[in-house]
Amino acid sequence: MQKLYHWLEHGTGSLIIKNLAIIGFIILLSLYICYKRQKGPENEFIFEETIVAKNLAEGNGYATQVIYPKSVAILESNKKSKGEKFNFEPNKSIPELYRPPGYATLLAFCLKILPENIIEKIWQDPVSETPRGVIAYNADYFLLTVNVIIFWVVCLLTYILGKALFGTKGGSISLFGTIFSAALWDQVLKVNGSVILMMLFLLILILYHRLELNLNSENNNYFSRKKLTSGLCIGILVGLSFLTEYSAGLIGLAVLWMTIFYHRKKSFILIVFMIIGFSATISPWIIRNLELTNSPISLAWTELPLYKIDTNYSMEMFKSDLSSDYPKISIRKIIGKGLSGIEKSLTAGIWSGGAFIFCGLFISGCFYKFKNLITNNVRWTAVSGILILLLVQPFLNSGDSVRLPINYIAPILIIFGSGFLLVLTESKKSLTTLSKSSILFIIILIQALPLVNKAAKPKSIPFHFPPYIPSTMVLTRTIIMEGARINGFGIMSDIPAGLTWYSRQPVWAQPKNYAQFVEISLYQDIGALFLSPARLNQPYFSTLTSSNLSQNKSISTTGNWSEVYKSLQNREMPNFFPLKNVYQIWENVYILTNPIIDLNNNRNKQ
């Protein structure tokens, strides 16, 4: 008994109990936050990747059931240029051309390792009468579970790197600074995959730290297995970052530059191994894209000339355009959106990105030289990567991406902010141990206040409404399109990815040009159109129904969307529009159907 008491109070038992208590606290905190604030995917960007994950898990490859007219036109044009025939198969998946595969691959792997009875429950249709009465789509809970588990890994890696750089106390402060970050929890709850990049970046810095330890040891053999293996693994991790978010691969430039800067010509072999690891990781995906579209990153390169707020030609307009034309590159537009993005990141963004109070400590710490040479090397490598991402990424992104550098670099800011905080407290010899602990506690408390505020709010509905309503979207498959798909009819929507995810059926994206709506019938007859608040909510609805819209060059002389939108108010569609039947589900949520579909469905019920 005495040995047990000694083991619990002074031995490893005390450490085990303390660690178990922290783990238990993190799990309980995670469950509570997820219960109160779970929201599901927030926009089409995320849905596009989750749909690919489902197809991949089912053995259909990197394909999607979201049918963008631009994708069809590009695939057809590429086939014809090779002298091959393009066969569009209605209600089948088409190759994904816009998103990198990283997040989808991870989700597909998680789906593959789950038992079949769990998989069946994941894809079970949600049923509800009102948006606020619904239990979230089980697949959304699956996405949340994966993101939470990865976030736990991020917290562990934050502790490991913080401890390696600044000791146990530094690791602990970094851990609690991360777990209590409201902005980081927002990324988890939005299930957008940002936590994957957090994890990969932390792994890169952990390996880089170990590489620096080896390079600065007495053994100056640059050809040792440990050093070359570290270089190879860093290259692989940078490649995985690139495959998760193309612009995130820019972190590799910082690693290469700082390795050359610190170790000069001796780093040549390490650089070669890093490049080999990176190239081997991304090569299969690059080859696949070149074969489909003659572009190494497929149609994702169009993020460069396009801008989300451009009312003339945004990424959404580009994807819904049934032509094989590419956007023109305007240097003025690229510079404008890049500078706007940098301004946003360096003003409000950097403080709301997740590091919060630790961001100020991180910036202040950049004017201080740590006594440890390796810690300094790792810090400046991280700073270089952060600057490259913050200054270059806005020029490459159209504004549609939800994975922003200011969010996935937050754990790194927290770690080095924690390190500088320790320097400040430890350098004051007049402070007692209790005073130092109190200061650290107050900093963590301030970091946690936004999270406490979020957790104290009433429970939110478990999906993003508007525009997404899982139970209503399911009805488009189970009732409206029942039997119609057998006859070759398809469905279209202004939020095709969300409708595809919740209804589990192929969905065409609604083209901005009505004439192209007519052209799509050459590929597949459209039997229903799902219109959501994303298209119909003010202030856009007044613009859509404006008489001036008829002057738009993209409007067909045989019909236009403006007349269709106006007719929603009296539910009498214009003569040129084939979807005559109008059903209003909620405010600014409509389903327009072809009378033939309703007639067939009524016959089937009889």
Side-chain angles (χ1 to χ4, degrees):
M1 193 68 184
Q2 196 170 15
K3 289 183 178 179
L4 177 61
Y5 176 79
H6 184 273
W7 181 76
L8 288 173
E9 183 152 350
H10 303 289
T12 55
S14 175
L15 181 62
I16 291 173
I17 292 174
K18 190 183 297 183
N19 289 339
L20 288 176
I22 293 173
I23 292 171
F25 171 76
I26 291 174
I27 292 174
L28 290 175
L29 177 66
S30 302
L31 292 174
Y32 181 75
I33 292 174
C34 292
Y35 168 75
K36 290 294 293 285
R37 311 308 306 166
Q38 200 258 340
K39 291 289 289 182
E42 64 175 334
N43 60 23
E44 297 290 281
F45 182 97
I46 305 169
F47 285 118
E48 289 172 7
E49 295 185 304
T50 58
I51 291 162
V52 174
K54 183 177 184 294
N55 276 294
L56 185 60
E58 293 173 350
N60 298 322
Y62 289 97
T64 181
Q65 292 176 303
V66 184
I67 307 172
Y68 286 112
K70 178 65 71 175
S71 298
V72 174
I74 294 294
L75 290 170
E76 182 176 22
S77 175
N78 195 44
K79 283 283 187 181
K80 288 182 177 179
S81 67
K82 296 178 181 178
E84 302 175 7
K85 187 178 180 181
F86 176 75
N87 294 317
F88 176 79
E89 299 183 61
N91 304 321
K92 293 289 182 70
S93 299
I94 63 173
E96 167 58 40
L97 303 180
Y98 298 96
R99 301 290 171 231
Y103 187 29
T105 303
L106 176 65
L107 293 175
F109 171 77
C110 294
L111 285 170
K112 291 293 287 185
I113 63 176
L114 291 174
E116 287 190 13
N117 61 325
I118 301 294
I119 296 296
E120 290 177 3
K121 291 181 180 179
I122 286 176
W123 303 121
Q124 190 174 16
D125 290 340
V127 179
S128 174
E129 295 181 357
T130 66
R132 291 192 173 276
V134 76
I135 296 175
Y137 188 33
N138 288 340
D140 286 353
Y141 280 120
F142 162 73
L143 298 177
L144 180 60
T145 301
V146 172
N147 278 265
V148 168
I149 292 173
I150 298 173
F151 186 56
W152 290 346
V153 175
V154 168
C155 292
L156 176 61
L157 294 175
T158 302
Y159 174 78
I160 291 172
L161 183 57
K163 181 181 179 181
L165 295 172
F166 305 109
T168 303
K169 190 177 290 187
S172 299
I173 298 171
S174 302
L175 169 63
F176 287 110
T178 301
I179 198 66
F180 287 131
S181 171
L184 293 185
W185 271 110
D186 278 344
Q187 301 306 305
V188 175
L189 295 170
K190 290 175 181 177
V191 297
N192 59 26
S194 291
V195 287
I196 301 174
L197 291 171
M198 297 178 200
M199 178 179 67
L200 292 172
F201 278 26
L202 288 169
L203 285 171
I204 289 171
L205 287 182
I206 288 171
L207 282 176
Y208 189 78
H209 175 257
R210 293 184 179 179
L211 179 61
E212 283 291 323
L213 285 174
N214 290 326
L215 291 173
N216 288 279
S217 64
E218 294 181 0
N219 178 16
N220 290 323
N221 180 13
Y222 281 76
F223 295 90
S224 69
R225 180 181 296 181
K226 285 185 178 180
K227 295 171 185 175
L228 297 182
T229 302
S230 295
L232 185 68
C233 290
I234 288 173
I236 292 172
L237 289 171
V238 172
L240 292 175
S241 301
F242 173 83
L243 293 177
T244 303
E245 181 75 17
Y246 289 128
S247 59
L250 292 169
I251 190 70
L253 297 178
V255 175
L256 292 177
W257 161 246
M258 296 309 290
T259 303
I260 295 171
F261 178 78
Y262 288 131
H263 305 286
R264 309 299 177 181
K265 295 180 180 179
K266 295 179 181 179
S267 64
F268 175 76
I269 189 64
L270 286 173
I271 299 300
V272 170
F273 269 72
M274 288 179 187
I275 294 174
I276 289 174
F278 175 78
S279 302
T281 304
I282 70 170
S283 292
W285 184 249
I286 298 299
I287 293 171
R288 175 256 190 196
N289 289 336
L290 288 171
E291 186 174 340
L292 287 173
T293 62
N294 299 318
S295 168
I297 56 173
S298 200
L299 298 185
W301 72 267
T302 56
E303 294 256 358
L304 178 66
L306 296 174
Y307 195 17
K308 185 177 182 178
I309 65 173
D310 186 350
T311 55
N312 294 320
Y313 204 50
S314 64
M315 191 68 180
E316 180 188 359
M317 295 177 182
F318 170 75
K319 291 192 289 188
S320 63
D321 180 22
L322 187 63
S323 75
S324 58
D325 298 332
Y326 291 107
K328 295 179 180 179
I329 295 178
S330 169
I331 301 299
R332 178 179 295 180
K333 183 192 290 188
I334 294 173
I335 293 175
K337 73 172 182 177
L339 294 178
S340 297
I342 291 172
E343 180 187 8
K344 184 178 179 181
S345 295
L346 297 182
T347 52
I350 196 167
W351 302 104
S352 61
F356 192 35
I357 193 169
F358 287 95
C359 182
L361 291 166
F362 169 81
I363 295 173
S364 301
C366 289
F367 297 96
Y368 173 81
K369 183 178 180 180
F370 293 117
K371 293 179 180 179
N372 189 297
L373 173 65
I374 295 172
T375 299
N376 265 318
N377 289 357
V378 176
R379 190 260 302 273
W380 289 119
T381 300
V383 169
S384 300
I386 290 169
L387 288 176
I388 290 174
L389 287 167
L390 292 180
L391 297 179
V392 178
Q393 190 267 355
F395 293 94
L396 306 179
N397 181 25
S398 67
D400 289 275
S401 177
V402 293
R403 290 191 285 265
L404 302 177
I406 201 61
N407 293 319
Y408 55 75
I409 64 172
I412 298 173
L413 300 182
I414 291 173
I415 290 171
F416 287 101
S418 300
F420 185 62
L421 175 62
L422 283 177
V423 169
L424 294 177
T425 55
E426 296 299 329
S427 62
K428 295 292 183 181
K429 302 297 182 181
S430 58
L431 291 176
T432 63
T433 303
L434 179 60
S435 300
K436 293 177 182 178
S437 300
S438 299
I439 292 172
L440 298 180
F441 175 77
I442 291 171
I443 294 295
I444 295 296
L445 181 62
I446 294 173
Q447 175 78 352
L449 285 178
L451 183 65
V452 172
N453 179 52
K454 286 181 178 291
K457 292 180 179 179
K459 187 178 184 298
S460 61
I461 58 174
F463 51 84
H464 275 270
F465 174 78
Y468 304 108
I469 314 174
S471 55
T472 300
M473 290 175 160
V474 166
L475 297 179
T476 63
R477 186 195 83 246
T478 59
I479 295 180
I480 296 191
M481 294 302 292
E482 184 182 20
R485 204 166 293 285
I486 300 175
N487 298 322
F489 283 102
I491 188 170
M492 179 179 285
S493 177
D494 61 312
I495 47 171
L499 184 57
T500 297
W501 175 249
Y502 288 120
S503 67
R504 304 201 310 279
Q505 62 181 331
V507 180
W508 280 87
Q510 181 193 10
K512 297 290 182 181
N513 186 331
Y514 182 81
Q516 292 185 348
F517 171 80
V518 178
E519 291 178 38
I520 285 174
S521 62
L522 298 174
Y523 298 92
Q524 183 178 23
D525 289 324
I526 300 301
L529 173 63
F530 184 95
L531 293 174
S532 76
R535 178 63 48 83
L536 302 180
N537 262 0
Q538 294 290 344
Y540 306 106
F541 188 67
S542 59
T543 304
L544 292 170
T545 58
S546 170
S547 58
N548 294 331
L549 193 60
S550 60
Q551 306 298 323
N552 193 309
K553 295 180 180 179
S554 66
I555 298 300
S556 167
T557 56
T558 59
N560 59 69
W561 287 120
S562 175
E563 295 300 319
V564 174
Y565 298 140
K566 285 181 180 178
S567 301
L568 292 174
Q569 299 170 12
N570 56 25
R571 303 192 184 184
E572 292 184 8
M573 289 293 110
N575 292 330
F576 63 81
F577 192 59
L579 310 181
K580 303 291 186 183
N581 294 346
V582 182
Y583 302 96
Q584 183 173 7
I585 310 303
W586 307 106
E587 183 180 358
N588 284 339
V589 178
Y590 292 86
I591 299 178
L592 316 180
T593 65
N594 191 313
I596 297 176
I597 288 181
D598 291 345
L599 180 63
N600 288 338
N601 286 340
N602 290 332
R603 286 175 179 174
N604 291 335
K605 290 175 183 177
Q606 293 173 359

